[in-house]
Amino acid sequence: MAAVQVFAKWMYPQAFADLNPDQTLQTLFERFQPVPLEGTYWVKLTAEQAHQVSSRGD
């Protein structure tokens, strides 16, 4: 569910401005996982970083 929120915010930031994927993931771990939430599960690029990656032509 948290991953879906991340993609929704990336694709439609104004429509999903009220979503908080980090908090959703934290809540899911607290309620359903036997281990603490540690580490990075996704990252996001700034608009400039995304443009640099898309213009590299790799």
Side-chain angles (χ1 to χ4, degrees):
M1 178 185 334
V4 172
Q5 290 181 7
V6 169
F7 292 121
K9 286 187 74 84
W10 285 346
M11 293 186 286
Y12 304 100
Q14 289 84 14
F16 295 102
D18 60 329
L19 292 180
N20 186 340
D22 294 326
Q23 183 58 49
T24 300
L25 183 62
Q26 180 68 40
T27 300
L28 290 171
F29 261 77
E30 289 171 359
R31 292 181 66 190
F32 303 110
Q33 297 295 324
V35 296
L37 176 60
E38 296 177 357
T40 303
Y41 290 86
W42 52 70
V43 296
K44 55 187 169 186
L45 300 176
T46 64
E48 182 179 334
Q49 291 168 324
H51 176 72
Q52 289 173 351
V53 169
S54 67
S55 65
R56 284 191 347 204
D58 291 350

